[in-house]
PDB file of all heavy atoms in Angstrom:
ATOM      1  N   PHE A1066      18.187 -56.554 -24.648  1.00 92.00           N
ATOM      2  CA  PHE A1066      18.469 -56.708 -26.083  1.00 92.00           C
ATOM      3  C   PHE A1066      19.363 -55.556 -26.570  1.00 92.00           C
ATOM      4  O   PHE A1066      20.324 -55.769 -27.320  1.00 92.00           O
ATOM      5  CB  PHE A1066      17.164 -56.732 -26.880  1.00 92.00           C
ATOM      6  CG  PHE A1066      16.452 -58.052 -26.843  1.00 92.00           C
ATOM      7  CD1 PHE A1066      15.721 -58.432 -25.730  1.00 92.00           C
ATOM      8  CD2 PHE A1066      16.518 -58.920 -27.923  1.00 92.00           C
ATOM      9  CE1 PHE A1066      15.048 -59.646 -25.697  1.00 92.00           C
ATOM     10  CE2 PHE A1066      15.853 -60.153 -27.894  1.00 92.00           C
ATOM     11  CZ  PHE A1066      15.118 -60.516 -26.778  1.00 92.00           C
ATOM     12  N   LYS A1067      19.039 -54.322 -26.128  1.00 89.00           N
ATOM     13  CA  LYS A1067      19.825 -53.148 -26.533  1.00 89.00           C
ATOM     14  C   LYS A1067      21.259 -53.260 -26.035  1.00 89.00           C
ATOM     15  O   LYS A1067      22.211 -52.932 -26.747  1.00 89.00           O
ATOM     16  CB  LYS A1067      19.181 -51.878 -25.987  1.00 89.00           C
ATOM     17  CG  LYS A1067      17.892 -51.471 -26.681  1.00 89.00           C
ATOM     18  CD  LYS A1067      17.349 -50.170 -26.090  1.00 89.00           C
ATOM     19  CE  LYS A1067      16.057 -49.762 -26.784  1.00 89.00           C
ATOM     20  NZ  LYS A1067      15.486 -48.516 -26.194  1.00 89.00           N
ATOM     21  N   GLN A1068      21.401 -53.716 -24.787  1.00 90.00           N
ATOM     22  CA  GLN A1068      22.748 -53.857 -24.221  1.00 90.00           C
ATOM     23  C   GLN A1068      23.581 -54.873 -24.983  1.00 90.00           C
ATOM     24  O   GLN A1068      24.816 -54.795 -25.001  1.00 90.00           O
ATOM     25  CB  GLN A1068      22.644 -54.260 -22.744  1.00 90.00           C
ATOM     26  CG  GLN A1068      22.125 -53.144 -21.843  1.00 90.00           C
ATOM     27  CD  GLN A1068      21.975 -53.599 -20.397  1.00 90.00           C
ATOM     28  OE1 GLN A1068      21.256 -54.548 -20.104  1.00 90.00           O
ATOM     29  NE2 GLN A1068      22.676 -52.938 -19.498  1.00 90.00           N
ATOM     30  N   LEU A1069      22.902 -55.808 -25.625  1.00 91.00           N
ATOM     31  CA  LEU A1069      23.601 -56.836 -26.405  1.00 91.00           C
ATOM     32  C   LEU A1069      23.743 -56.448 -27.867  1.00 91.00           C
ATOM     33  O   LEU A1069      24.157 -57.258 -28.703  1.00 91.00           O
ATOM     34  CB  LEU A1069      22.848 -58.165 -26.280  1.00 91.00           C
ATOM     35  CG  LEU A1069      22.894 -58.817 -24.884  1.00 91.00           C
ATOM     36  CD1 LEU A1069      21.878 -59.927 -24.768  1.00 91.00           C
ATOM     37  CD2 LEU A1069      24.303 -59.324 -24.591  1.00 91.00           C
ATOM     38  N   GLY A1070      23.367 -55.208 -28.179  1.00 90.00           N
ATOM     39  CA  GLY A1070      23.536 -54.710 -29.541  1.00 90.00           C
ATOM     40  C   GLY A1070      22.437 -55.106 -30.504  1.00 90.00           C
ATOM     41  O   GLY A1070      22.607 -55.012 -31.722  1.00 90.00           O
ATOM     42  N   VAL A1071      21.299 -55.550 -29.978  1.00 91.00           N
ATOM     43  CA  VAL A1071      20.164 -55.942 -30.822  1.00 91.00           C
ATOM     44  C   VAL A1071      19.074 -54.877 -30.709  1.00 91.00           C
ATOM     45  O   VAL A1071      18.447 -54.737 -29.656  1.00 91.00           O
ATOM     46  CB  VAL A1071      19.607 -57.320 -30.403  1.00 91.00           C
ATOM     47  CG1 VAL A1071      18.397 -57.682 -31.255  1.00 91.00           C
ATOM     48  CG2 VAL A1071      20.696 -58.383 -30.518  1.00 91.00           C
ATOM     49  N   ASP A1072      18.862 -54.138 -31.768  1.00 87.00           N
ATOM     50  CA  ASP A1072      17.875 -53.050 -31.780  1.00 87.00           C
ATOM     51  C   ASP A1072      16.540 -53.584 -32.294  1.00 87.00           C
ATOM     52  O   ASP A1072      16.279 -53.616 -33.495  1.00 87.00           O
ATOM     53  CB  ASP A1072      18.372 -51.900 -32.665  1.00 87.00           C
ATOM     54  CG  ASP A1072      17.514 -50.652 -32.528  1.00 87.00           C
ATOM     55  OD1 ASP A1072      16.379 -50.756 -32.007  1.00 87.00           O
ATOM     56  OD2 ASP A1072      17.970 -49.567 -32.937  1.00 87.00           O
ATOM     57  N   LEU A1073      15.695 -54.024 -31.379  1.00 88.00           N
ATOM     58  CA  LEU A1073      14.401 -54.584 -31.759  1.00 88.00           C
ATOM     59  C   LEU A1073      13.536 -53.559 -32.486  1.00 88.00           C
ATOM     60  O   LEU A1073      12.803 -53.897 -33.421  1.00 88.00           O
ATOM     61  CB  LEU A1073      13.660 -55.088 -30.511  1.00 88.00           C
ATOM     62  CG  LEU A1073      14.217 -56.363 -29.864  1.00 88.00           C
ATOM     63  CD1 LEU A1073      13.501 -56.611 -28.547  1.00 88.00           C
ATOM     64  CD2 LEU A1073      14.055 -57.554 -30.787  1.00 88.00           C
ATOM     65  N   PHE A1074      13.637 -52.317 -32.074  1.00 83.00           N
ATOM     66  CA  PHE A1074      12.857 -51.261 -32.703  1.00 83.00           C
ATOM     67  C   PHE A1074      13.202 -51.133 -34.181  1.00 83.00           C
ATOM     68  O   PHE A1074      12.325 -51.088 -35.042  1.00 83.00           O
ATOM     69  CB  PHE A1074      13.130 -49.935 -31.984  1.00 83.00           C
ATOM     70  CG  PHE A1074      12.553 -48.738 -32.686  1.00 83.00           C
ATOM     71  CD1 PHE A1074      11.202 -48.436 -32.573  1.00 83.00           C
ATOM     72  CD2 PHE A1074      13.356 -47.921 -33.469  1.00 83.00           C
ATOM     73  CE1 PHE A1074      10.662 -47.341 -33.218  1.00 83.00           C
ATOM     74  CE2 PHE A1074      12.823 -46.816 -34.114  1.00 83.00           C
ATOM     75  CZ  PHE A1074      11.475 -46.533 -33.992  1.00 83.00           C
ATOM     76  N   ALA A1075      14.490 -51.098 -34.478  1.00 82.00           N
ATOM     77  CA  ALA A1075      14.929 -50.974 -35.876  1.00 82.00           C
ATOM     78  C   ALA A1075      14.555 -52.201 -36.692  1.00 82.00           C
ATOM     79  O   ALA A1075      14.150 -52.091 -37.862  1.00 82.00           O
ATOM     80  CB  ALA A1075      16.433 -50.746 -35.928  1.00 82.00           C
ATOM     81  N   ILE A1076      14.666 -53.377 -36.090  1.00 86.00           N
ATOM     82  CA  ILE A1076      14.334 -54.614 -36.797  1.00 86.00           C
ATOM     83  C   ILE A1076      12.853 -54.666 -37.125  1.00 86.00           C
ATOM     84  O   ILE A1076      12.446 -55.017 -38.236  1.00 86.00           O
ATOM     85  CB  ILE A1076      14.745 -55.838 -35.951  1.00 86.00           C
ATOM     86  CG1 ILE A1076      16.278 -55.904 -35.842  1.00 86.00           C
ATOM     87  CG2 ILE A1076      14.196 -57.130 -36.542  1.00 86.00           C
ATOM     88  CD1 ILE A1076      16.778 -56.929 -34.860  1.00 86.00           C
ATOM     89  N   ARG A1077      12.015 -54.296 -36.144  1.00 83.00           N
ATOM     90  CA  ARG A1077      10.560 -54.350 -36.337  1.00 83.00           C
ATOM     91  C   ARG A1077      10.061 -53.323 -37.348  1.00 83.00           C
ATOM     92  O   ARG A1077       9.048 -53.514 -38.005  1.00 83.00           O
ATOM     93  CB  ARG A1077       9.853 -54.120 -34.999  1.00 83.00           C
ATOM     94  CG  ARG A1077       9.959 -55.284 -34.028  1.00 83.00           C
ATOM     95  CD  ARG A1077       9.396 -54.891 -32.681  1.00 83.00           C
ATOM     96  NE  ARG A1077       9.219 -56.043 -31.803  1.00 83.00           N
ATOM     97  CZ  ARG A1077       8.792 -55.946 -30.554  1.00 83.00           C
ATOM     98  NH1 ARG A1077       8.521 -54.759 -30.031  1.00 83.00           N
ATOM     99  NH2 ARG A1077       8.638 -57.025 -29.805  1.00 83.00           N
ATOM    100  N   ASN A1078      10.784 -52.206 -37.450  1.00 84.00           N
ATOM    101  CA  ASN A1078      10.314 -51.105 -38.298  1.00 84.00           C
ATOM    102  C   ASN A1078      11.255 -50.834 -39.467  1.00 84.00           C
ATOM    103  O   ASN A1078      11.320 -49.713 -39.972  1.00 84.00           O
ATOM    104  CB  ASN A1078      10.158 -49.830 -37.456  1.00 84.00           C
ATOM    105  CG  ASN A1078       9.090 -49.957 -36.396  1.00 84.00           C
ATOM    106  OD1 ASN A1078       7.901 -49.827 -36.662  1.00 84.00           O
ATOM    107  ND2 ASN A1078       9.519 -50.212 -35.163  1.00 84.00           N
ATOM    108  N   GLN A1079      11.971 -51.844 -39.890  1.00 84.00           N
ATOM    109  CA  GLN A1079      12.983 -51.678 -40.927  1.00 84.00           C
ATOM    110  C   GLN A1079      12.418 -51.063 -42.207  1.00 84.00           C
ATOM    111  O   GLN A1079      12.987 -50.118 -42.761  1.00 84.00           O
ATOM    112  CB  GLN A1079      13.622 -53.036 -41.239  1.00 84.00           C
ATOM    113  CG  GLN A1079      14.794 -52.946 -42.206  1.00 84.00           C
ATOM    114  CD  GLN A1079      15.492 -54.300 -42.352  1.00 84.00           C
ATOM    115  OE1 GLN A1079      15.059 -55.299 -41.793  1.00 84.00           O
ATOM    116  NE2 GLN A1079      16.579 -54.317 -43.111  1.00 84.00           N
ATOM    117  N   THR A1080      11.292 -51.561 -42.681  1.00 83.00           N
ATOM    118  CA  THR A1080      10.707 -51.061 -43.930  1.00 83.00           C
ATOM    119  C   THR A1080      10.237 -49.618 -43.772  1.00 83.00           C
ATOM    120  O   THR A1080      10.499 -48.770 -44.622  1.00 83.00           O
ATOM    121  CB  THR A1080       9.518 -51.942 -44.364  1.00 83.00           C
ATOM    122  OG1 THR A1080       9.973 -53.291 -44.507  1.00 83.00           O
ATOM    123  CG2 THR A1080       8.946 -51.455 -45.684  1.00 83.00           C
TER     124      THR A1080
END
Side-chain angles (χ1 to χ4, degrees):
F1066 281 77
K1067 287 182 180 178
Q1068 289 177 302
L1069 291 167
V1071 178
D1072 190 344
L1073 288 172
F1074 171 79
I1076 293 171
R1077 288 172 168 177
N1078 295 280
Q1079 186 173 4
T1080 303

